[in-house]
PDB file of all heavy atoms in Angstrom:
ATOM      1  N   THR A  11     -24.121 -12.002  11.991  1.00  0.00           N
ATOM      2  CA  THR A  11     -23.225 -12.242  10.881  1.00  0.00           C
ATOM      3  C   THR A  11     -23.997 -11.817   9.629  1.00  0.00           C
ATOM      4  O   THR A  11     -25.100 -12.261   9.431  1.00  0.00           O
ATOM      5  CB  THR A  11     -22.837 -13.727  10.809  1.00  0.00           C
ATOM      6  OG1 THR A  11     -22.213 -14.138  12.030  1.00  0.00           O
ATOM      7  CG2 THR A  11     -21.922 -13.958   9.635  1.00  0.00           C
ATOM      8  N   TRP A  12     -23.369 -10.981   8.811  1.00  0.00           N
ATOM      9  CA  TRP A  12     -24.028 -10.390   7.659  1.00  0.00           C
ATOM     10  C   TRP A  12     -23.130 -10.606   6.428  1.00  0.00           C
ATOM     11  O   TRP A  12     -22.009 -10.174   6.404  1.00  0.00           O
ATOM     12  CB  TRP A  12     -24.263  -8.904   7.915  1.00  0.00           C
ATOM     13  CG  TRP A  12     -24.991  -8.108   6.888  1.00  0.00           C
ATOM     14  CD1 TRP A  12     -25.268  -8.492   5.594  1.00  0.00           C
ATOM     15  CD2 TRP A  12     -25.507  -6.797   7.011  1.00  0.00           C
ATOM     16  NE1 TRP A  12     -25.950  -7.491   4.940  1.00  0.00           N
ATOM     17  CE2 TRP A  12     -26.060  -6.442   5.819  1.00  0.00           C
ATOM     18  CE3 TRP A  12     -25.441  -5.931   8.083  1.00  0.00           C
ATOM     19  CZ2 TRP A  12     -26.658  -5.196   5.570  1.00  0.00           C
ATOM     20  CZ3 TRP A  12     -26.004  -4.626   7.847  1.00  0.00           C
ATOM     21  CH2 TRP A  12     -26.640  -4.314   6.659  1.00  0.00           C
ATOM     22  N   TYR A  13     -23.690 -11.269   5.437  1.00  0.00           N
ATOM     23  CA  TYR A  13     -22.938 -11.481   4.194  1.00  0.00           C
ATOM     24  C   TYR A  13     -23.728 -10.728   3.096  1.00  0.00           C
ATOM     25  O   TYR A  13     -24.928 -10.806   2.968  1.00  0.00           O
ATOM     26  CB  TYR A  13     -22.932 -12.949   3.798  1.00  0.00           C
ATOM     27  CG  TYR A  13     -22.270 -13.174   2.442  1.00  0.00           C
ATOM     28  CD1 TYR A  13     -20.930 -13.215   2.273  1.00  0.00           C
ATOM     29  CD2 TYR A  13     -23.117 -13.286   1.315  1.00  0.00           C
ATOM     30  CE1 TYR A  13     -20.369 -13.367   1.040  1.00  0.00           C
ATOM     31  CE2 TYR A  13     -22.565 -13.433   0.011  1.00  0.00           C
ATOM     32  CZ  TYR A  13     -21.211 -13.466  -0.119  1.00  0.00           C
ATOM     33  OH  TYR A  13     -20.644 -13.627  -1.307  1.00  0.00           O
ATOM     34  N   SER A  14     -22.925 -10.015   2.241  1.00  0.00           N
ATOM     35  CA  SER A  14     -23.551  -9.431   1.078  1.00  0.00           C
ATOM     36  C   SER A  14     -22.692  -9.700  -0.121  1.00  0.00           C
ATOM     37  O   SER A  14     -21.461  -9.862  -0.029  1.00  0.00           O
ATOM     38  CB  SER A  14     -23.697  -7.866   1.249  1.00  0.00           C
ATOM     39  OG  SER A  14     -22.416  -7.236   1.206  1.00  0.00           O
ATOM     40  N   CYS A  15     -23.319  -9.761  -1.268  1.00  0.00           N
ATOM     41  CA  CYS A  15     -22.612  -9.919  -2.516  1.00  0.00           C
ATOM     42  C   CYS A  15     -21.891  -8.597  -2.824  1.00  0.00           C
ATOM     43  O   CYS A  15     -22.391  -7.515  -2.495  1.00  0.00           O
ATOM     44  CB  CYS A  15     -23.615 -10.233  -3.673  1.00  0.00           C
ATOM     45  SG  CYS A  15     -24.407 -11.788  -3.474  1.00  0.00           S
ATOM     46  N   GLY A  16     -20.716  -8.718  -3.409  1.00  0.00           N
ATOM     47  CA  GLY A  16     -19.957  -7.543  -3.753  1.00  0.00           C
ATOM     48  C   GLY A  16     -19.937  -7.379  -5.276  1.00  0.00           C
ATOM     49  O   GLY A  16     -20.666  -8.042  -6.008  1.00  0.00           O
ATOM     50  N   PRO A  17     -19.027  -6.562  -5.770  1.00  0.00           N
ATOM     51  CA  PRO A  17     -18.929  -6.300  -7.188  1.00  0.00           C
ATOM     52  C   PRO A  17     -18.268  -7.403  -7.954  1.00  0.00           C
ATOM     53  O   PRO A  17     -17.547  -8.195  -7.399  1.00  0.00           O
ATOM     54  CB  PRO A  17     -18.120  -5.001  -7.243  1.00  0.00           C
ATOM     55  CG  PRO A  17     -17.161  -5.145  -6.056  1.00  0.00           C
ATOM     56  CD  PRO A  17     -18.035  -5.771  -4.991  1.00  0.00           C
ATOM     57  N   THR A  18     -18.507  -7.401  -9.265  1.00  0.00           N
ATOM     58  CA  THR A  18     -17.671  -8.172 -10.179  1.00  0.00           C
ATOM     59  C   THR A  18     -16.619  -7.182 -10.684  1.00  0.00           C
ATOM     60  O   THR A  18     -16.973  -6.208 -11.354  1.00  0.00           O
ATOM     61  CB  THR A  18     -18.533  -8.695 -11.336  1.00  0.00           C
ATOM     62  OG1 THR A  18     -19.533  -9.563 -10.816  1.00  0.00           O
ATOM     63  CG2 THR A  18     -17.691  -9.511 -12.343  1.00  0.00           C
ATOM     64  N   VAL A  19     -15.373  -7.458 -10.338  1.00  0.00           N
ATOM     65  CA  VAL A  19     -14.355  -6.427 -10.487  1.00  0.00           C
ATOM     66  C   VAL A  19     -13.635  -6.519 -11.822  1.00  0.00           C
ATOM     67  O   VAL A  19     -12.605  -7.134 -11.985  1.00  0.00           O
ATOM     68  CB  VAL A  19     -13.355  -6.452  -9.319  1.00  0.00           C
ATOM     69  CG1 VAL A  19     -13.989  -5.869  -8.065  1.00  0.00           C
ATOM     70  CG2 VAL A  19     -12.858  -7.889  -9.046  1.00  0.00           C
ATOM     71  N   HIS A  27     -22.333   1.387  -7.367  1.00  0.00           N
ATOM     72  CA  HIS A  27     -21.641   0.653  -6.330  1.00  0.00           C
ATOM     73  C   HIS A  27     -21.625   1.427  -5.023  1.00  0.00           C
ATOM     74  O   HIS A  27     -21.924   0.897  -3.948  1.00  0.00           O
ATOM     75  CB  HIS A  27     -20.132   0.441  -6.693  1.00  0.00           C
ATOM     76  CG  HIS A  27     -19.978  -0.511  -7.817  1.00  0.00           C
ATOM     77  ND1 HIS A  27     -19.134  -0.197  -8.921  1.00  0.00           N
ATOM     78  CD2 HIS A  27     -20.443  -1.760  -8.042  1.00  0.00           C
ATOM     79  CE1 HIS A  27     -19.156  -1.240  -9.751  1.00  0.00           C
ATOM     80  NE2 HIS A  27     -19.936  -2.193  -9.280  1.00  0.00           N
ATOM     81  N   THR A  30     -25.021   1.428  -3.166  1.00  0.00           N
ATOM     82  CA  THR A  30     -25.283   0.160  -2.538  1.00  0.00           C
ATOM     83  C   THR A  30     -24.546  -0.029  -1.225  1.00  0.00           C
ATOM     84  O   THR A  30     -25.101  -0.371  -0.224  1.00  0.00           O
ATOM     85  CB  THR A  30     -24.917  -1.036  -3.476  1.00  0.00           C
ATOM     86  OG1 THR A  30     -25.652  -0.899  -4.673  1.00  0.00           O
ATOM     87  CG2 THR A  30     -25.111  -2.383  -2.868  1.00  0.00           C
ATOM     88  N   TYR A  31     -23.265   0.215  -1.234  1.00  0.00           N
ATOM     89  CA  TYR A  31     -22.448  -0.008  -0.043  1.00  0.00           C
ATOM     90  C   TYR A  31     -22.588   1.032   1.018  1.00  0.00           C
ATOM     91  O   TYR A  31     -22.411   0.751   2.219  1.00  0.00           O
ATOM     92  CB  TYR A  31     -20.978  -0.350  -0.449  1.00  0.00           C
ATOM     93  CG  TYR A  31     -21.013  -1.533  -1.379  1.00  0.00           C
ATOM     94  CD1 TYR A  31     -20.703  -1.406  -2.737  1.00  0.00           C
ATOM     95  CD2 TYR A  31     -21.499  -2.768  -0.941  1.00  0.00           C
ATOM     96  CE1 TYR A  31     -20.792  -2.482  -3.588  1.00  0.00           C
ATOM     97  CE2 TYR A  31     -21.569  -3.834  -1.811  1.00  0.00           C
ATOM     98  CZ  TYR A  31     -21.220  -3.694  -3.135  1.00  0.00           C
ATOM     99  OH  TYR A  31     -21.391  -4.730  -3.980  1.00  0.00           O
ATOM    100  N   VAL A  32     -22.905   2.278   0.656  1.00  0.00           N
ATOM    101  CA  VAL A  32     -23.256   3.302   1.632  1.00  0.00           C
ATOM    102  C   VAL A  32     -24.555   2.891   2.305  1.00  0.00           C
ATOM    103  O   VAL A  32     -24.650   3.021   3.565  1.00  0.00           O
ATOM    104  CB  VAL A  32     -23.338   4.694   0.967  1.00  0.00           C
ATOM    105  CG1 VAL A  32     -23.965   5.702   1.900  1.00  0.00           C
ATOM    106  CG2 VAL A  32     -21.986   5.197   0.541  1.00  0.00           C
ATOM    107  N   PHE A  34     -25.722  -0.139   2.800  1.00  0.00           N
ATOM    108  CA  PHE A  34     -25.370  -1.219   3.728  1.00  0.00           C
ATOM    109  C   PHE A  34     -24.726  -0.694   4.981  1.00  0.00           C
ATOM    110  O   PHE A  34     -24.958  -1.128   6.056  1.00  0.00           O
ATOM    111  CB  PHE A  34     -24.407  -2.254   3.042  1.00  0.00           C
ATOM    112  CG  PHE A  34     -25.055  -3.207   2.071  1.00  0.00           C
ATOM    113  CD1 PHE A  34     -24.338  -3.718   1.016  1.00  0.00           C
ATOM    114  CD2 PHE A  34     -26.422  -3.528   2.187  1.00  0.00           C
ATOM    115  CE1 PHE A  34     -24.911  -4.620   0.157  1.00  0.00           C
ATOM    116  CE2 PHE A  34     -27.007  -4.411   1.286  1.00  0.00           C
ATOM    117  CZ  PHE A  34     -26.274  -4.932   0.252  1.00  0.00           C
ATOM    118  N   PHE A  50     -20.720  -8.638  12.313  1.00  0.00           N
ATOM    119  CA  PHE A  50     -19.574  -9.187  11.614  1.00  0.00           C
ATOM    120  C   PHE A  50     -19.980  -9.197  10.190  1.00  0.00           C
ATOM    121  O   PHE A  50     -20.837  -9.980   9.740  1.00  0.00           O
ATOM    122  CB  PHE A  50     -19.236 -10.607  12.114  1.00  0.00           C
ATOM    123  CG  PHE A  50     -18.070 -11.209  11.410  1.00  0.00           C
ATOM    124  CD1 PHE A  50     -16.769 -10.769  11.695  1.00  0.00           C
ATOM    125  CD2 PHE A  50     -18.241 -12.240  10.469  1.00  0.00           C
ATOM    126  CE1 PHE A  50     -15.706 -11.317  11.038  1.00  0.00           C
ATOM    127  CE2 PHE A  50     -17.161 -12.761   9.780  1.00  0.00           C
ATOM    128  CZ  PHE A  50     -15.869 -12.330  10.049  1.00  0.00           C
ATOM    129  N   TYR A  51     -19.364  -8.284   9.365  1.00  0.00           N
ATOM    130  CA  TYR A  51     -19.785  -8.045   8.015  1.00  0.00           C
ATOM    131  C   TYR A  51     -18.803  -8.646   7.052  1.00  0.00           C
ATOM    132  O   TYR A  51     -17.565  -8.420   7.117  1.00  0.00           O
ATOM    133  CB  TYR A  51     -19.931  -6.548   7.779  1.00  0.00           C
ATOM    134  CG  TYR A  51     -20.355  -6.178   6.397  1.00  0.00           C
ATOM    135  CD1 TYR A  51     -21.634  -6.352   5.946  1.00  0.00           C
ATOM    136  CD2 TYR A  51     -19.415  -5.620   5.495  1.00  0.00           C
ATOM    137  CE1 TYR A  51     -22.037  -5.973   4.672  1.00  0.00           C
ATOM    138  CE2 TYR A  51     -19.799  -5.235   4.209  1.00  0.00           C
ATOM    139  CZ  TYR A  51     -21.083  -5.452   3.807  1.00  0.00           C
ATOM    140  OH  TYR A  51     -21.487  -5.111   2.527  1.00  0.00           O
ATOM    141  N   VAL A  52     -19.259  -9.426   6.092  1.00  0.00           N
ATOM    142  CA  VAL A  52     -18.424 -10.021   5.068  1.00  0.00           C
ATOM    143  C   VAL A  52     -19.033  -9.642   3.702  1.00  0.00           C
ATOM    144  O   VAL A  52     -20.256  -9.813   3.470  1.00  0.00           O
ATOM    145  CB  VAL A  52     -18.342 -11.528   5.174  1.00  0.00           C
ATOM    146  CG1 VAL A  52     -17.542 -12.141   4.078  1.00  0.00           C
ATOM    147  CG2 VAL A  52     -17.738 -11.956   6.544  1.00  0.00           C
ATOM    148  N   MET A  53     -18.172  -9.166   2.766  1.00  0.00           N
ATOM    149  CA  MET A  53     -18.639  -8.867   1.437  1.00  0.00           C
ATOM    150  C   MET A  53     -17.858  -9.765   0.448  1.00  0.00           C
ATOM    151  O   MET A  53     -16.654  -9.729   0.449  1.00  0.00           O
ATOM    152  CB  MET A  53     -18.476  -7.420   1.116  1.00  0.00           C
ATOM    153  CG  MET A  53     -18.829  -7.080  -0.304  1.00  0.00           C
ATOM    154  SD  MET A  53     -18.550  -5.373  -0.744  1.00  0.00           S
ATOM    155  CE  MET A  53     -16.770  -5.270  -0.585  1.00  0.00           C
ATOM    156  N   GLY A  54     -18.564 -10.485  -0.377  1.00  0.00           N
ATOM    157  CA  GLY A  54     -17.885 -11.264  -1.412  1.00  0.00           C
ATOM    158  C   GLY A  54     -17.480 -10.348  -2.541  1.00  0.00           C
ATOM    159  O   GLY A  54     -18.093  -9.299  -2.811  1.00  0.00           O
ATOM    160  N   VAL A  55     -16.460 -10.747  -3.260  1.00  0.00           N
ATOM    161  CA  VAL A  55     -16.038 -10.028  -4.472  1.00  0.00           C
ATOM    162  C   VAL A  55     -15.854 -11.092  -5.558  1.00  0.00           C
ATOM    163  O   VAL A  55     -15.118 -12.067  -5.371  1.00  0.00           O
ATOM    164  CB  VAL A  55     -14.712  -9.266  -4.252  1.00  0.00           C
ATOM    165  CG1 VAL A  55     -14.184  -8.675  -5.570  1.00  0.00           C
ATOM    166  CG2 VAL A  55     -14.854  -8.214  -3.204  1.00  0.00           C
ATOM    167  N   THR A  56     -16.519 -10.928  -6.663  1.00  0.00           N
ATOM    168  CA  THR A  56     -16.452 -11.898  -7.783  1.00  0.00           C
ATOM    169  C   THR A  56     -15.221 -11.568  -8.556  1.00  0.00           C
ATOM    170  O   THR A  56     -15.101 -10.508  -9.142  1.00  0.00           O
ATOM    171  CB  THR A  56     -17.685 -11.790  -8.738  1.00  0.00           C
ATOM    172  OG1 THR A  56     -18.846 -12.064  -7.891  1.00  0.00           O
ATOM    173  CG2 THR A  56     -17.605 -12.813  -9.832  1.00  0.00           C
ATOM    174  N   GLU A  81     -10.258  -4.718  -7.829  1.00  0.00           N
ATOM    175  CA  GLU A  81     -10.739  -4.927  -6.426  1.00  0.00           C
ATOM    176  C   GLU A  81     -10.019  -3.923  -5.574  1.00  0.00           C
ATOM    177  O   GLU A  81     -10.655  -3.286  -4.690  1.00  0.00           O
ATOM    178  CB  GLU A  81     -10.356  -6.329  -5.980  1.00  0.00           C
ATOM    179  CG  GLU A  81     -10.798  -6.580  -4.557  1.00  0.00           C
ATOM    180  CD  GLU A  81     -10.405  -7.945  -4.071  1.00  0.00           C
ATOM    181  OE1 GLU A  81      -9.890  -8.750  -4.804  1.00  0.00           O
ATOM    182  OE2 GLU A  81     -10.693  -8.225  -2.863  1.00  0.00           O
ATOM    183  N   PHE A  84     -11.584  -0.565  -6.129  1.00  0.00           N
ATOM    184  CA  PHE A  84     -12.921  -0.564  -5.556  1.00  0.00           C
ATOM    185  C   PHE A  84     -12.829  -0.277  -4.061  1.00  0.00           C
ATOM    186  O   PHE A  84     -13.571   0.585  -3.518  1.00  0.00           O
ATOM    187  CB  PHE A  84     -13.650  -1.904  -5.840  1.00  0.00           C
ATOM    188  CG  PHE A  84     -14.892  -2.048  -5.047  1.00  0.00           C
ATOM    189  CD1 PHE A  84     -16.046  -1.477  -5.428  1.00  0.00           C
ATOM    190  CD2 PHE A  84     -14.913  -2.828  -3.873  1.00  0.00           C
ATOM    191  CE1 PHE A  84     -17.239  -1.585  -4.701  1.00  0.00           C
ATOM    192  CE2 PHE A  84     -16.100  -2.938  -3.135  1.00  0.00           C
ATOM    193  CZ  PHE A  84     -17.253  -2.327  -3.573  1.00  0.00           C
ATOM    194  N   ARG A  85     -12.020  -1.040  -3.367  1.00  0.00           N
ATOM    195  CA  ARG A  85     -11.898  -0.843  -1.925  1.00  0.00           C
ATOM    196  C   ARG A  85     -11.389   0.567  -1.590  1.00  0.00           C
ATOM    197  O   ARG A  85     -11.934   1.192  -0.660  1.00  0.00           O
ATOM    198  CB  ARG A  85     -10.978  -1.891  -1.291  1.00  0.00           C
ATOM    199  CG  ARG A  85     -11.603  -3.302  -1.397  1.00  0.00           C
ATOM    200  CD  ARG A  85     -10.736  -4.319  -0.727  1.00  0.00           C
ATOM    201  NE  ARG A  85     -11.249  -5.679  -0.964  1.00  0.00           N
ATOM    202  CZ  ARG A  85     -12.222  -6.234  -0.300  1.00  0.00           C
ATOM    203  NH1 ARG A  85     -12.833  -5.545   0.611  1.00  0.00           N
ATOM    204  NH2 ARG A  85     -12.595  -7.464  -0.578  1.00  0.00           N
ATOM    205  N   ARG A  86     -10.462   1.041  -2.284  1.00  0.00           N
ATOM    206  CA  ARG A  86      -9.959   2.424  -2.107  1.00  0.00           C
ATOM    207  C   ARG A  86     -11.086   3.418  -2.340  1.00  0.00           C
ATOM    208  O   ARG A  86     -11.315   4.339  -1.504  1.00  0.00           O
ATOM    209  CB  ARG A  86      -8.776   2.677  -3.046  1.00  0.00           C
ATOM    210  CG  ARG A  86      -8.184   4.112  -2.841  1.00  0.00           C
ATOM    211  CD  ARG A  86      -7.292   4.512  -4.010  1.00  0.00           C
ATOM    212  NE  ARG A  86      -8.061   4.570  -5.253  1.00  0.00           N
ATOM    213  CZ  ARG A  86      -7.769   3.927  -6.374  1.00  0.00           C
ATOM    214  NH1 ARG A  86      -6.651   3.188  -6.462  1.00  0.00           N
ATOM    215  NH2 ARG A  86      -8.501   4.036  -7.432  1.00  0.00           N
ATOM    216  N   MET A  88     -14.332   3.023  -2.180  1.00  0.00           N
ATOM    217  CA  MET A  88     -15.432   2.920  -1.244  1.00  0.00           C
ATOM    218  C   MET A  88     -15.028   3.546   0.115  1.00  0.00           C
ATOM    219  O   MET A  88     -15.904   4.101   0.813  1.00  0.00           O
ATOM    220  CB  MET A  88     -15.880   1.471  -1.010  1.00  0.00           C
ATOM    221  CG  MET A  88     -16.574   0.887  -2.228  1.00  0.00           C
ATOM    222  SD  MET A  88     -17.990   1.779  -2.843  1.00  0.00           S
ATOM    223  CE  MET A  88     -17.347   2.500  -4.329  1.00  0.00           C
TER     224      MET A  88
END
Side-chain angles (χ1 to χ4, degrees):
T11 301
W12 182 348
Y13 174 84
S14 72
C15 296
T18 300
V19 287
H27 291 130
T30 299
Y31 302 111
V32 167
F34 284 154
F50 180 74
Y51 179 75
V52 176
M53 177 183 61
V55 174
T56 301
E81 179 182 359
F84 169 79
R85 293 183 186 280
R86 181 195 62 232
M88 291 304 107

